[in-house]
Amino acid sequence: MWTYEKILEYPIKIKNPNPEMAKIIITQYGGPDGELGASLRYLSQRFAMITPQAIATLNDIGTEELAHLEMVGAMVRQLLKGASVEEIEKSGAGGYYADHGRGVYPVSASGVPFTAAYVQSKGDPIVDLTEDLAAEQKARATYEYLIQMADDPDVIEPLKFLREREVVHYQRFGEALRIVQDYLQEPHLFVMPKPDFMK
């Protein structure tokens, strides 16, 4: 179903290693409000949606979150790539290095591994879309915190791009929620067919 373009959605070209920044940015890879959880949440929730617009919104945004996961992974990798072991230890990322070297592994900034508990999928369209609005706001706030801690334009600009996409996603989920609410209030004389992949 997906077509993969072998380019990042926004270019990541970090020249200066910074393991301390890698240690905190990784939270948007595998942390509680990160891109992996968001993608799995939306791609799972779409199966319980009741309007084609809501299904499409969750599918589109869930797919884009995979692109954001790729961007965050590229940032972490580039921030660690040229750092010495001494710099990694000094940054507080020694434990991460001992377990994963310079690889990218889904953990939060505090080192908690990714868990499926981050993925909320209730099966109720109103509940799920409301959850998604909150999730996008939490991700936006996390990107703002990361921007505040960064001092390298090569890091700040991709983070700003990612923050802005969270705002757009929030708006799209708001639109989907209104459509679903309107649909639930209208009398229905027929059942809307689901796309083949949803059956």
Side-chain angles (χ1 to χ4, degrees):
M1 171 181 161
W2 284 279
T3 301
Y4 176 65
E5 283 188 55
K6 294 184 180 182
I7 57 168
L8 293 175
E9 189 177 14
Y10 187 94
I12 308 297
K13 296 181 179 171
I14 300 170
K15 296 178 277 307
N16 301 314
N18 186 337
E20 188 173 3
M21 201 69 211
K23 184 178 185 286
I24 57 175
I25 285 177
I26 203 159
T27 201
Q28 283 304 89
Y29 193 83
D33 304 313
E35 304 294 355
L36 179 58
S39 179
L40 293 174
R41 177 184 307 115
Y42 307 149
L43 293 174
S44 297
Q45 289 175 350
R46 67 190 168 143
F47 293 103
M49 285 297 136
I50 56 175
T51 69
Q53 298 92 338
I55 293 167
T57 298
L58 285 160
N59 194 63
D60 291 350
I61 296 175
T63 300
E64 186 177 356
E65 301 292 14
L66 289 173
H68 296 170
L69 181 72
E70 185 176 36
M71 287 176 59
V72 173
M75 292 179 78
V76 170
R77 175 66 181 158
Q78 290 178 26
L79 287 164
L80 288 172
K81 189 175 178 184
S84 69
V85 174
E86 292 75 24
E87 290 170 320
I88 290 170
E89 284 181 299
K90 187 177 176 186
S91 74
Y96 179 90
Y97 180 78
D99 289 337
H100 310 291
R102 289 182 178 83
V104 179
Y105 180 77
V107 295
S108 70
S110 56
V112 177
F114 179 81
T115 171
Y118 297 156
V119 180
Q120 297 299 320
S121 183
K122 197 70 171 174
D124 178 305
I126 300 294
V127 172
D128 283 345
L129 289 167
T130 303
E131 163 70 27
D132 300 341
L133 288 165
E136 292 298 321
Q137 287 296 336
K138 290 186 279 186
R140 177 200 48 79
T142 302
Y143 280 120
E144 287 177 5
Y145 301 154
L146 292 171
I147 290 165
Q148 291 167 8
M149 291 185 277
D151 59 7
D152 183 345
D154 292 344
V155 173
I156 293 170
E157 292 309 311
L159 291 174
K160 285 164 97 176
F161 171 83
L162 290 163
R163 178 191 61 195
E164 292 308 311
R165 294 308 300 162
E166 305 300 346
V167 172
V168 171
H169 294 170
Y170 177 81
Q171 293 166 339
R172 290 201 55 212
F173 282 133
E175 293 163 4
L177 179 59
R178 281 190 293 279
I179 290 167
V180 166
Q181 288 170 326
D182 290 346
Y183 175 80
L184 289 171
Q185 291 176 7
E186 294 173 5
H188 301 286
L189 302 175
F190 63 92
V191 176
M192 246 181 183
K194 289 199 175 220
D196 288 340
F197 78 93
M198 304 289 282
K199 293 178 183 175

XYZ file of all heavy atoms in Angstrom, residues 51-119:
503
model
N -15.968 7.154 9.259
C -16.137 7.957 8.042
C -14.884 7.807 7.181
O -13.775 7.652 7.717
C -16.352 9.458 8.342
O -15.137 10.015 8.868
C -17.497 9.678 9.325
N -15.044 7.870 5.885
C -13.875 7.774 5.004
C -12.851 8.880 5.277
O -11.648 8.651 5.187
C -14.458 7.904 3.595
C -15.897 7.610 3.724
C -16.301 7.967 5.123
N -13.351 10.069 5.639
C -12.433 11.181 5.912
C -11.563 10.894 7.136
O -10.359 11.175 7.127
C -13.209 12.488 6.131
C -14.020 12.928 4.941
C -15.455 12.399 4.973
O -15.761 11.393 5.634
N -16.341 13.072 4.247
N -12.155 10.342 8.181
C -11.380 10.034 9.393
C -10.384 8.915 9.125
O -9.235 8.970 9.588
C -12.317 9.663 10.545
N -10.800 7.905 8.375
C -9.884 6.817 8.012
C -8.697 7.384 7.239
O -7.536 7.078 7.540
C -10.610 5.740 7.178
C -11.657 5.014 8.028
C -9.610 4.731 6.607
C -12.627 4.164 7.217
N -8.972 8.230 6.259
C -7.909 8.816 5.431
C -6.982 9.694 6.257
O -5.758 9.667 6.076
C -8.522 9.614 4.280
N -7.553 10.464 7.175
C -6.736 11.342 8.022
C -5.773 10.522 8.870
O -4.573 10.817 8.942
C -7.628 12.220 8.918
O -8.438 13.065 8.081
C -6.797 13.086 9.855
N -6.286 9.482 9.512
C -5.418 8.639 10.348
C -4.370 7.923 9.511
O -3.215 7.794 9.931
C -6.260 7.641 11.138
C -7.007 8.274 12.313
C -8.170 7.409 12.751
C -6.063 8.532 13.464
N -4.751 7.456 8.345
C -3.797 6.785 7.470
C -2.695 7.745 7.020
O -1.509 7.419 7.073
C -4.530 6.200 6.261
C -3.678 5.226 5.502
O -3.296 4.197 6.026
N -3.362 5.545 4.258
N -3.090 8.944 6.587
C -2.118 9.933 6.103
C -1.160 10.369 7.205
O 0.053 10.402 7.017
C -2.828 11.171 5.537
C -3.573 10.894 4.250
O -3.406 9.795 3.671
O -4.339 11.777 3.825
N -1.720 10.718 8.356
C -0.872 11.222 9.436
C -0.023 10.095 10.024
O 1.159 10.292 10.321
C -1.711 11.937 10.514
C -2.365 13.186 9.901
C -0.842 12.318 11.715
C -3.321 13.920 10.817
N -0.595 8.899 10.160
C 0.194 7.763 10.640
C 1.381 7.482 9.740
O 2.482 7.169 10.203
N 1.169 7.613 8.433
C 2.256 7.410 7.466
C 3.297 8.514 7.582
O 4.501 8.253 7.566
C 1.677 7.354 6.038
O 0.753 6.268 5.972
C 2.767 7.156 5.013
N 2.823 9.759 7.728
C 3.783 10.863 7.863
C 4.614 10.726 9.132
O 5.789 11.087 9.157
C 3.070 12.220 7.834
C 4.071 13.366 7.813
C 3.449 14.742 7.713
O 2.215 14.863 7.582
O 4.224 15.715 7.780
N 4.002 10.201 10.191
C 4.766 10.003 11.432
C 5.921 9.023 11.213
O 6.971 9.148 11.851
C 3.858 9.517 12.560
C 2.699 10.437 12.906
C 3.071 11.761 13.548
O 4.251 12.158 13.527
O 2.167 12.410 14.076
N 5.754 8.056 10.323
C 6.880 7.165 9.983
C 8.017 7.964 9.343
O 9.198 7.705 9.599
C 6.419 6.049 9.044
C 5.518 4.985 9.642
C 5.000 4.054 8.551
C 6.255 4.197 10.717
N 7.663 8.943 8.510
C 8.682 9.810 7.907
C 9.377 10.642 8.982
O 10.593 10.878 8.917
C 8.049 10.722 6.853
N 8.625 11.069 9.984
C 9.221 11.843 11.075
C 10.123 10.959 11.937
O 11.166 11.412 12.418
C 8.131 12.490 11.920
C 7.326 13.497 11.172
N 6.181 14.057 11.671
C 7.504 14.049 9.932
C 5.687 14.903 10.791
N 6.477 14.914 9.723
N 9.717 9.710 12.118
C 10.560 8.753 12.843
C 11.916 8.631 12.146
O 12.968 8.617 12.795
C 9.853 7.398 12.911
C 10.571 6.281 13.651
C 10.553 6.538 15.147
C 9.903 4.943 13.347
N 11.878 8.564 10.832
C 13.113 8.472 10.049
C 13.981 9.721 10.232
O 15.195 9.629 10.380
C 12.745 8.269 8.577
C 13.928 8.033 7.675
C 13.507 7.752 6.251
O 12.514 8.338 5.769
O 14.193 6.935 5.613
N 13.350 10.894 10.266
C 14.092 12.132 10.474
C 14.760 12.166 11.845
O 15.934 12.507 11.970
C 13.158 13.347 10.343
C 12.729 13.673 8.938
S 11.546 15.040 8.911
C 12.513 16.345 9.678
N 14.001 11.809 12.872
C 14.547 11.826 14.235
C 15.684 10.814 14.349
O 16.736 11.098 14.943
C 13.445 11.571 15.286
C 14.046 11.429 16.681
C 12.407 12.691 15.256
N 15.512 9.639 13.765
C 16.588 8.647 13.779
C 17.844 9.165 13.098
O 18.959 8.946 13.582
N 17.679 9.868 11.970
C 18.828 10.447 11.272
C 19.513 11.498 12.139
O 20.749 11.585 12.168
C 18.391 11.057 9.942
N 18.723 12.278 12.867
C 19.314 13.299 13.752
C 20.145 12.641 14.852
O 21.281 13.054 15.115
C 18.209 14.175 14.360
C 17.497 15.052 13.357
S 16.189 16.039 14.112
C 17.189 17.317 14.879
N 19.568 11.635 15.496
C 20.278 10.946 16.584
C 21.569 10.332 16.051
O 22.639 10.481 16.646
C 19.374 9.882 17.244
C 20.163 8.993 18.196
C 18.204 10.548 17.961
N 21.480 9.662 14.922
C 22.659 9.019 14.328
C 23.746 10.041 14.018
O 24.927 9.835 14.326
C 22.246 8.256 13.057
C 23.385 7.649 12.293
C 24.076 6.562 13.051
N 25.177 6.044 12.254
C 26.211 5.411 12.730
N 26.297 5.179 14.016
N 27.157 4.977 11.946
N 23.373 11.165 13.405
C 24.372 12.179 13.045
C 24.953 12.871 14.275
O 26.123 13.237 14.276
C 23.759 13.200 12.084
C 23.485 12.615 10.712
C 22.841 13.594 9.761
O 22.992 14.806 9.894
N 22.103 13.065 8.780
N 24.163 13.039 15.313
C 24.671 13.663 16.540
C 25.656 12.757 17.281
O 26.547 13.236 17.982
C 23.512 14.043 17.461
C 22.691 15.253 16.999
C 21.361 15.313 17.732
C 23.483 16.540 17.186
N 25.503 11.450 17.122
C 26.406 10.497 17.776
C 27.606 10.117 16.918
O 28.660 9.749 17.443
C 25.649 9.207 18.128
C 24.654 9.270 19.268
C 23.858 7.975 19.351
C 25.359 9.558 20.587
N 27.448 10.201 15.616
C 28.409 9.628 14.667
C 29.858 10.039 14.916
O 30.742 9.198 14.994
C 27.990 9.993 13.247
C 28.773 9.272 12.177
C 28.210 9.603 10.809
C 29.015 8.931 9.728
N 28.526 9.315 8.406
N 30.133 11.303 15.044
C 31.531 11.731 15.194
C 31.985 11.936 16.619
O 33.104 12.391 16.860
N 31.142 11.622 17.580
C 31.492 11.844 18.983
C 32.434 10.761 19.481
O 32.294 9.589 19.141
C 30.228 11.861 19.836
N 33.395 11.164 20.300
C 34.306 10.193 20.902
C 33.595 9.491 22.062
O 32.595 9.982 22.581
C 35.560 10.899 21.428
O 35.227 11.703 22.557
N 34.145 8.362 22.490
C 33.578 7.643 23.627
C 33.631 8.527 24.872
O 32.688 8.537 25.677
C 34.322 6.304 23.850
C 33.844 5.622 25.123
C 34.142 5.389 22.651
N 34.702 9.306 25.006
C 34.819 10.211 26.158
C 33.697 11.247 26.146
O 33.100 11.554 27.183
C 36.193 10.911 26.166
C 37.369 9.990 26.440
C 37.750 9.109 25.237
O 37.439 9.481 24.078
O 38.347 8.047 25.458
N 33.395 11.807 24.963
C 32.312 12.797 24.858
C 30.962 12.156 25.169
O 30.116 12.761 25.819
C 32.271 13.402 23.447
C 33.443 14.317 23.139
C 33.508 14.713 21.670
O 33.241 13.853 20.794
O 33.822 15.888 21.411
N 30.777 10.938 24.727
C 29.523 10.228 24.986
C 29.366 9.988 26.486
O 28.295 10.232 27.055
C 29.466 8.902 24.187
C 29.319 9.215 22.693
C 28.329 8.010 24.681
C 29.478 8.025 21.771
N 30.440 9.546 27.144
C 30.383 9.320 28.595
C 30.115 10.618 29.344
O 29.290 10.665 30.252
C 31.691 8.702 29.090
C 31.830 7.229 28.748
C 33.127 6.660 29.290
O 34.203 7.141 28.888
O 33.036 5.745 30.128
N 30.800 11.682 28.954
C 30.652 12.984 29.615
C 29.227 13.521 29.468
O 28.713 14.201 30.351
C 31.656 13.978 29.037
C 31.696 15.304 29.751
C 32.759 16.203 29.163
C 32.719 17.557 29.839
N 33.606 18.508 29.226
N 28.569 13.194 28.355
C 27.207 13.689 28.100
C 26.150 12.953 28.920
O 24.991 13.353 28.932
C 26.868 13.546 26.614
O 26.624 12.181 26.300
N 26.540 11.864 29.560
C 25.567 11.060 30.297
C 24.939 9.967 29.462
O 24.008 9.305 29.903
N 25.444 9.773 28.254
C 24.891 8.757 27.354
C 25.716 7.471 27.381
O 25.577 6.627 26.494
C 24.802 9.305 25.929
N 26.548 7.297 28.389
C 27.399 6.109 28.477
C 26.602 4.819 28.567
O 26.957 3.814 27.947
N 25.529 4.814 29.338
C 24.692 3.625 29.459
C 24.056 3.253 28.127
O 24.009 2.084 27.751
N 23.593 4.274 27.406
C 23.008 4.029 26.082
C 24.072 3.444 25.158
O 23.830 2.470 24.453
C 22.452 5.334 25.495
C 21.855 5.153 24.116
C 20.520 4.838 23.959
C 22.642 5.288 22.973
C 19.963 4.658 22.702
C 22.106 5.108 21.716
C 20.762 4.789 21.576
O 20.227 4.604 20.327
N 25.275 4.032 25.186
C 26.367 3.565 24.327
C 26.733 2.116 24.650
O 26.970 1.311 23.745
C 27.583 4.477 24.479
C 28.750 4.073 23.625
C 28.772 4.379 22.266
C 29.835 3.386 24.168
C 29.842 4.007 21.468
C 30.900 3.003 23.379
C 30.906 3.319 22.034
O 31.965 2.939 21.240
N 26.740 1.789 25.939
C 27.078 0.417 26.342
C 26.085 -0.600 25.765
O 26.464 -1.710 25.386
C 27.106 0.306 27.867
N 24.831 -0.215 25.676
C 23.795 -1.121 25.158
C 23.633 -1.078 23.648
O 23.288 -2.093 23.036
C 22.439 -0.794 25.793
C 22.371 -1.187 27.259
O 23.152 -2.071 27.683
O 21.539 -0.607 27.979
N 23.848 0.103 23.031
C 23.480 0.274 21.617
C 24.559 0.896 20.744
O 24.330 1.105 19.550
C 22.211 1.134 21.523
C 21.119 0.665 22.423
N 20.444 -0.527 22.218
C 20.623 1.199 23.560
C 19.567 -0.688 23.194
N 19.654 0.331 24.021
N 25.714 1.199 21.335
C 26.753 1.859 20.548
C 26.219 3.165 19.978
O 25.558 3.925 20.672
N 26.485 3.390 18.710
C 25.980 4.593 18.044
C 24.712 4.289 17.237
O 24.289 5.057 16.399
C 27.059 5.201 17.152
C 28.184 5.845 17.957
C 29.227 6.493 17.045
N 30.266 7.135 17.835
C 31.317 6.514 18.352
N 31.478 5.217 18.155
N 32.206 7.179 19.062
N 24.122 3.129 17.515
C 22.876 2.757 16.841
C 21.702 3.550 17.377
O 21.791 4.208 18.412
N 20.596 3.469 16.668
C 19.376 4.168 17.070
C 18.402 3.135 17.625
O 18.053 2.171 16.937
C 18.764 4.939 15.876
C 17.485 5.635 16.285
C 19.778 5.936 15.322
N 18.001 3.331 18.860
C 17.133 2.388 19.560
C 15.983 3.172 20.189
O 16.204 4.249 20.749
C 17.950 1.661 20.643
C 17.156 0.659 21.441
C 16.848 -0.585 20.906
C 16.709 0.963 22.725
C 16.124 -1.517 21.645
C 15.986 0.040 23.463
C 15.693 -1.189 22.916
O 14.969 -2.105 23.636
N 14.748 2.665 20.124
C 13.612 3.436 20.634
C 13.531 3.485 22.158
O 13.079 2.546 22.811
C 12.391 2.717 20.035
C 12.854 1.324 19.779
C 14.327 1.410 19.482
N 13.985 4.605 22.694
C 13.919 4.869 24.134
C 13.508 6.320 24.350
O 13.571 7.137 23.432
C 15.270 4.624 24.852
C 15.690 3.179 24.802
C 16.360 5.516 24.296
N 13.120 6.629 25.577
C 12.845 8.015 25.952
C 14.155 8.694 26.337
O 15.200 8.031 26.451
C 11.879 8.054 27.137
O 12.528 7.593 28.309
N 14.100 9.988 26.576
C 15.298 10.730 26.985
C 15.838 10.214 28.315
O 17.034 10.295 28.578
C 14.979 12.220 27.085
N 14.970 9.653 29.142
C 15.427 9.115 30.427
C 15.841 7.652 30.332
O 16.176 7.039 31.336
C 14.335 9.300 31.488
O 13.133 8.705 31.069
N 15.825 7.087 29.108
C 16.330 5.739 28.893
C 15.298 4.629 28.997
O 15.652 3.451 28.952
N 14.021 4.977 29.126
C 12.970 3.953 29.216
C 12.674 3.435 27.805
O 12.335 4.221 26.918
C 11.688 4.529 29.856
C 10.582 3.481 29.883
C 11.982 5.047 31.261
N 12.794 2.122 27.582
C 12.527 1.576 26.246
C 11.080 1.779 25.811
O 10.175 1.845 26.640
C 12.834 0.080 26.392
C 13.668 -0.040 27.610
C 13.255 1.084 28.517
N 10.885 1.847 24.503
C 9.544 1.977 23.945
C 8.656 0.834 24.431
O 9.106 -0.299 24.573
C 9.596 1.950 22.411
C 8.241 2.053 21.779
C 7.630 3.280 21.636
C 7.573 0.919 21.349
C 6.366 3.386 21.074
C 6.310 1.013 20.789
C 5.706 2.246 20.649
N 7.405 1.159 24.662
C 6.432 0.154 25.079
C 5.120 0.380 24.336
O 4.755 1.518 24.046
C 6.173 0.212 26.599
O 5.069 -0.642 26.918
C 5.867 1.613 27.083
N 4.422 -0.685 24.064
C 3.116 -0.572 23.406
C 2.107 0.165 24.279
O 1.070 0.601 23.790
C 2.582 -1.952 23.040
N 2.407 0.346 25.559
C 1.516 1.109 26.439
C 1.383 2.563 25.979
O 0.428 3.240 26.349
C 2.023 1.059 27.877
N 2.329 3.040 25.156
C 2.231 4.403 24.618
C 1.155 4.507 23.541
O 0.769 5.604 23.162
C 3.558 4.842 23.994
C 4.735 4.926 24.929
C 6.026 4.818 24.425
C 4.587 5.116 26.296
C 7.132 4.902 25.253
C 5.688 5.188 27.131
C 6.961 5.085 26.603
O 8.055 5.169 27.420
N 0.709 3.385 23.006
C -0.216 3.376 21.875
C -1.642 3.248 22.396
O -2.018 2.204 22.912
C 0.102 2.210 20.909
C -0.857 2.207 19.731
C 1.545 2.299 20.429
